[in-house]
Amino acid sequence: MALVVACANAQPPERPIPRIIEREGHHALLVDGAPFLMLGAQVNNSSAWPSMLPKVWPAIEFLHANTVEMPVYWEQFEPQPGRFDYRVLDALLAGAREHHVHLVLLWFGTWKNGSSHYVPEWMKLQPERYPLMRDAKGRPVDSPSPFAEESRKADIRAFSALMRHLKQADVQRTVLMVQVENEAGTWQCVRDYSPAAQKAFEAPVPVELLDALHKPAGQANWQQTFGDDAEEFFHAWFVARYIEHVAAAGKAIYPLPLYANAALRDPLKPGRPPGYESGGPTDNVIAIWKAAAPSLDLVAPDIYLGDSPRYLKVLDLYALPDNALFVPETGNGANFAHYFFAALGHGAIGFSPFGMDYTGYSNAPLGATRITEETMAPFALNYKLADPMDREIARLNFEGRLLAVSEEKGNPAQTLSFGNWQATVKYGLPQFGPGDHPAGNPEPVGGALVAQLGDNEFLVAGIHCRVDFQLANASGMQRQFLRVEEGTYENGAFHAIRVWNGDQTDWGLNFTSAPQVLRVKLGTY
Ligand code: DGJ
């Protein structure tokens, strides 16, 4: 009887708080204690209102996304100073649970795309208390000052209220991560020239930054220490310090993974601000952000650069031993979909096209001119393929056993090395016949992932490509397929549905626009 009463009163075991871990340079986002891959979709800026959600969920379902990125608007969240309105946030939590997806919340606080358009009206009406930056001529700039102490205090108070509410309203761990601000920094000028900023610019560079950059401690100011980069580095440091205060306060309440996203600079021909947004975590100041904002788990690139040299370079720059790769925004045009594979190949913990809803807005030319099932189909195909095995992909990536590539224009064949075996990925071949002269697809839409499960066993999946294997050494031995099973994953277990042979394997493993997953056992002859 006592046992029955005890069981009836038992609370469900508390779920672990999501967190990001690193081992030997590989990362994983742990959800319910195990690696998880975010198959994400970000909604349009003004879509996270309860009245708009009926136009959001059908797009998310069509995409097979498992995580939705939704803004939380400061102006809605704190309509009067110190009075918080949780209704919209609660609607997002309830809607996500009903649709069986996780959330990443985007705190549209002090910064949104370099401006402060989401601060509450009561702040906008008090510019002396919550000041904007000043340009070199002393004129106000449409960007918040990182030296605005009252703004910082207000942001800390609001962000803390958000995290406090999540802590008690989300024991289900629907929310996996929170983005602190959105594309922080400044477009119009390189730094703040207000009197407070000017004083800091002429003062010695903080010793924590010098230490982090392995520079000798000293009394030199920013100009003396960093020369031509001084103004940009200065702005990055103080924007990141401001955000650190906000992030640290929130994390002390509820330690979810936190991150900041970057409006990128051209990774191949960067130029200088104001050619790109100054102050945010662009690739040249990642180390500054790491030193200034240790409460952020990562900094993340918003990738709208459609050509593969630039896209791949950005992935290289943000996939670092001390920075898990997460692509929180990318273009929603069909030409961006295949970069999902390259992101996985760089160990990404998540990938998320932007503007995925049926509210009718299009951010072309950054993305597609209309969002329809047709334009979303290539993204949906990626997620249909990955969704049943998202946990396996995340675990294999964390264990360093997964390699993946996207097709690049003018490069119709790629090689993936796994010790004794090499996998080749070729694009633009017919399904029947040898693969000596791949032409590439008319547009680069292909991609593949290959993971080593055992010495001679591989998991293989792809889109618009052919995958085959060879021995890496020059022994003269040829590969043979001992067994090629197509199957599905259910709760982590692979279930074969058929065996491929004959035309389906004689020329290699051909993938089309069908979401197919293979387990391949190799031998030699
Ligand atoms: C990047 C921003 O982070 C998004 O919120 C959005 O404004 C896009 N740019 C453009 O649609």
Side-chain angles (χ1 to χ4, degrees), residues 139-179:
R139 295 172 301 199
V141 175
D142 185 15
S143 186
S145 168
F147 293 90
E149 262 181 56
E150 290 302 319
S151 308
R152 195 184 66 197
K153 283 188 205 155
D155 199 336
I156 289 171
R157 185 178 61 183
F159 189 68
S160 299
L162 169 63
M163 297 304 280
R164 197 171 294 116
H165 187 72
L166 283 184
K167 184 182 178 178
Q168 56 89 12
D170 190 30
V171 288
Q172 298 89 327
R173 315 299 181 209
T174 298
V175 178
L176 302 182
M177 308 206 341
V178 180
Q179 179 186 289

Side-chain angles (χ1 to χ4, degrees), residues 307-309 312 338-339 406-412 414 427 439-445:
D307 60 300
S308 47
L312 300 179
H338 70 302
Y339 291 123
S406 301
E407 182 177 2
E408 298 162 43
K409 216 179 182 75
N411 184 15
Q414 295 158 320
Y427 305 98
N441 290 305
E443 288 301 322
V445 293

Side-chain angles (χ1 to χ4, degrees), residues 490-501:
E490 271 166 45
N491 299 324
F494 183 79
H495 299 282
I497 53 174
R498 63 168 169 161
V499 171
W500 280 21
N501 207 335

Side-chain angles (χ1 to χ4, degrees), residues 42-45 71 106 108 112-113 118 179 182-183 261-263 302 304 329 354-355 361-364 366-367:
Q42 183 167 153
V43 302
N44 281 300
N45 288 168
L106 317 173
F108 282 12
K112 163 68 173 79
N113 295 20
Y118 281 88
Q179 179 186 289
N182 190 86
E183 293 193 350
N261 62 334
D302 292 348
Y304 293 92
E329 288 183 39
F354 175 85
Y361 181 76
S362 145
N363 71 352
L366 291 182

